[in-house]
Amino acid sequence: MSDPFGPDPWITLSRLTPARIGLGRAGAGLPTREVLAFSLAHARARDAVHAPFDAEAVGAAIQALGFETLEVASAAPDRATYLRRPDLGRALSPESLEALRARPKAPIDLAIVVADGLSSAAVHAQAAPLLGALKPLIDKAGWRTGPVVLAHQARVALGDAIGEALGVRAVVVLIGERPGLSSPDSLGAYLTFAPRVGRSDAERNCLSNIRPEGLVFEEAAFKLAWLAGEALRLGLTGVGLKDESDLARLPSSGALSLPGA
Amino acid sequence: MTYAQTTGTTRWVFPDLKTLMAKASPARSGDRLAGVAAGSAEEMVAARMRLADVPLRTFLDEPLIPYEEDDVTRLILDTHKAAVFAPIASLTVGDFRNFLLSEAATPETLTALAPGITPEMAAAVSKIMRNQDLILVARKCRVVTRFRNTIGLPGTMATRLQPNHPTDDPGGVIASTLDGLLYGAGDATIGINPASDSLAALGELVRLLDGLISRFSIPTQSCVLTHVTTSIELIERGAPVDLVFQSIAGTQAANASFGVTLPLLAEGLDAARGLGRGTVGDNVMYFETGQGAALSAGAHHGLDQQTVEARAYAVARAYSPLLVNTVVGFIGPEYLYDGKEIIRAGLEDHFCGKLLGAPMGCDVCYTNHAEADQDDMDTLLTLLATAGVTFVMGIPGADDIMLNYQSTSFHDALYVREVLGLKRAPEFEVWLERMRIAGQDGRLLPRRAGHPLLAAAVG
C-alpha cells in the first residue's frame, strides 16, 4: 500500500485530537450513530447539572477518612433559582449563617468546603478520593481544618461567607465545574487566603479538571497542599501567588516535598 | 425626563429613558438579575407602547450613559452623521419600525442610513419588533468586508473554522483544521482560541496556520484569539498575523474590564494594516461580543443587557472589522436562561449589528447548564441564515473540547446551505472546487484517500 493512511485516512487524523473529527456524513447531516453519541454525552452533562447533591453519601465517605462534616445551604432555595441567581449561590441561607456563627470558636488554618456547584456528579465521584489523597499532606503539615463543610446550591464564593463565619485563615472550595460534553464530572479547587464576603476571583488560586482522566488525585492533592502552604506562609492567594509546585519535586525520585514540611 | 403610559385604568410611570428601554425588553434572566426587568407582562407592553412614541431624536438628546463619563457614548455621539439622520429625524421609534419594514427601506437606503443610526435607536426599535421583523429587516442590510476573500455578499454565508485543542497541540489543531476544510468550512477565518497565553506558544500557532494557508494557497485568513496587546506584541516580533482579535463591550468600564481602551483598538488596527497581508481588502479586525458581558463586569450603568450589547457594535464599526461575532449563549443561564431567550437574543444582536453596518456573525451556542439543546441551535441557525447572517462557527461535531460548550458544526453549515442555497465566499468556493473538495454546485464531493490536504497531516 502506497497510501500511508490505509483504508480510512480520517482514522489517522482522529488519533491526533479528542475533537469530534472524521465523523462521516449522511448527506449534509451527521450519521445516526454520531447524532446518538452526541445526545448521550449531552444527557450525561445535563444530568450532572441537575442531579441532586447526595451529601449523605459524600459525607459518609469523607468521615471514613477521619474528617468531621457539617452541612450548609446557600440562599438559593432550588436548582432553577440557583442557575438564574449566582448572587444567591454566593450567600449563606440565614439558617446556615446562624448555625456557623453559633459554633464554638476554634482556630482553623485551612477550612475545606465541598460544594455541588454545577456538577453534583463531579462531587460524588471526585471529592472523597481527592480528600483521601490530601489528608496525609494536611496531617504532615499540621494544619487544623475543622469540619469539612458540605454546601448545597453553592458557587465558589460561598467559601468566602463560610470562611468568614468560621474565622479561618484560608479556605479551599472543592466544587463541581460546569460540565463539558466530554467531561461531565470535573472537580475544581479554589483556594482563598483570609476569606471574606466580597473577595474577587483574582484573589484566588484555582486548580481545574480534577478527575482520573485529567488532573489525577495525587497530583491535584500535591499542588493544592503546595499552594496552601505558600498561601499560609506568604499570607496571600491570587495573582501574587504563582503555582511553582513543579519545582518542589525531586526530579530523580519523583518524590513529593512540601515547603516547610 | 419621566415617561408615562396608561393601559386600561393603570398608569405606568418610567423615571427615565434607560428604565423605559429596560422594561420594554423581551424577558431574559440577565435583566432580572440586574433588577431592571419589567415587573409584569403588562408593564412590559406598556413600556413598549410608550417607547414606540419616543422620537428618535431623543436618543441624541438624552444619552443613556452620560457623555462625560463614558468614551463609548462620546464615540457614538461624536461620529453620528446628522445629515444622514435628517430624513428619519422626525420619526418615532414606532414609525421607524414601520419604515424599516416598508419597501422604501431598500438595501441601498439602509446601507446609506447606517452612520445616522445610533445603537440606542437600533436597540429601541428591536424591542418593539417581533422575531420575523428582526429577520426581514436584517436580510435587507448589506455589509461586505474583505481580506483574502469577500464576505457578506447576498446569498452567501461564511464559517469560522474553530479548531481548538485543550493544550494547543499542533497536530491536534491541524487535524481539526483539515477536517473542517474537507467539510468546506473556514472562509470567514480559521480562528483558534488558544489555551496558552505565552507569546512563544501563540507565535507558534500563528505560524502553524499561516504555513497551512500559504502551502495550499487557501483564500482565507487566520486568527489567534488573544488580547489585542498580545497581537500587537506578536506583530512587533514578526509573527505573520492576519486578523487582530478583541472581546469588546458597550461601555468604557466594561471595556476596561477586558483591559482595552478605544485608542488601544486603533493601535491594533494600525499594526495589522501595517503588515499589508490582505490581498483583496484591509478589514483586519475580528471582534467578539455577547449580551451580559457588561453586567458581569458590574459596568452596565443600569442599562438592559441588549441595549449595552448594541453599543458594542458602535465600538466595532469604528474599526472597520472583517468580522463581528456575538457569542450568544456562551455566558450562561443567568443571562440567557433557555433556548427561547438565546434565540431571541441572537436575532436581536444580528439585527442591531447589521442595521449599524457591522459584519455580524453569530456563535449559535449554549452551555450545559442552560435549558437548551441542539434542536434550539438548529432553530436559531435556520432563522439567522434566513436573516442573512454573515458567518457562523464551524466546530468539529459542534463540541468545543477546549472551551466546553456546544456550538454549530461543519455539518450544520452544510445543512443550512442545502436548505437555503447559501454559498461560501466566492474565492473560497473556487478553491474548494480546484481542490476537488466540493463540486461546481458547492456540494461536497465523495471523500477520497490520498487527498493532498490529508497528506499534510503527516507531511
Side-chain angles (χ1 to χ4, degrees), chain B residues 168 192-209 224-227 230-231 234 239-241:
Chain B
D168 299 335
I192 181 165
N193 300 86
S196 169
D197 56 5
S198 99
L199 273 175
L202 297 170
E204 283 307 305
L205 287 174
V206 171
R207 281 184 285 275
L208 185 72
L209 295 180
V224 173
L225 283 72
T226 185
H227 195 268
T230 310
S231 293
L234 286 167
V241 172

Side-chain angles (χ1 to χ4, degrees), chain B residues 361-377:
Chain B
C362 181
D363 191 340
V364 173
C365 67
Y366 63 105
T367 58
N368 286 315
H369 60 317
E371 289 294 323
D373 61 21
Q374 226 57 29
D375 287 336
D376 297 306
M377 301 304 103

Side-chain angles (χ1 to χ4, degrees), chain A residues 10 20 24 42 46 178-179, chain B residues 179 368 370-371 399 403-404 411:
Chain A
W10 267 262
R20 291 170 195 260
H42 185 235
R46 297 285 297 152
R178 194 184 84 194
Chain B
D179 193 59
N368 286 315
E371 289 294 323
D399 172 13
L403 295 171
N404 276 334
H411 296 73

Side-chain angles (χ1 to χ4, degrees), chain B residues 178-351:
Chain B
L178 295 175
D179 193 59
L181 291 169
L182 289 163
Y183 280 104
D187 46 347
T189 181
I190 302 172
I192 181 165
N193 300 86
S196 169
D197 56 5
S198 99
L199 273 175
L202 297 170
E204 283 307 305
L205 287 174
V206 171
R207 281 184 285 275
L208 185 72
L209 295 180
D210 178 57
L212 187 75
I213 288 171
S214 308
R215 180 170 168 190
F216 293 100
S217 309
I218 310 173
T220 189
Q221 36 282 331
S222 73
C223 185
V224 173
L225 283 72
T226 185
H227 195 268
V228 58
T229 52
T230 310
S231 293
I232 293 170
E233 178 80 30
L234 286 167
I235 290 170
E236 281 168 1
R237 292 184 182 202
V241 172
D242 288 343
L243 304 183
V244 167
F245 166 80
Q246 185 55 49
S247 288
I248 55 169
T251 70
Q252 181 176 348
N255 284 324
S257 80
F258 291 140
V260 292
T261 59
L262 302 181
L264 197 53
L265 296 177
E267 239 181 89
L269 173 68
D270 291 342
R273 277 199 176 152
L275 296 181
R277 294 176 55 80
T279 51
V280 298
D282 66 353
N283 300 113
V284 296
M285 301 300 283
Y286 175 23
F287 293 119
E288 286 191 351
T289 68
Q291 292 191 24
L295 174 59
S296 77
H300 61 298
H301 293 264
L303 269 61
D304 68 89
Q305 69 184 28
Q306 189 256 336
T307 301
V308 187
E309 171 71 8
R311 287 166 54 97
Y313 311 145
V315 175
R317 70 176 172 177
Y319 302 93
S320 309
L322 184 76
L323 308 163
V324 180
N325 177 18
T326 170
V327 192
V328 70
F330 186 74
I331 193 161
E334 60 268 43
Y335 300 94
L336 295 169
Y337 186 66
D338 57 14
K340 184 178 170 70
E341 292 184 9
I342 293 170
I343 288 165
R344 174 74 196 180
L347 293 174
E348 289 167 346
D349 292 353
H350 177 252
F351 162 80

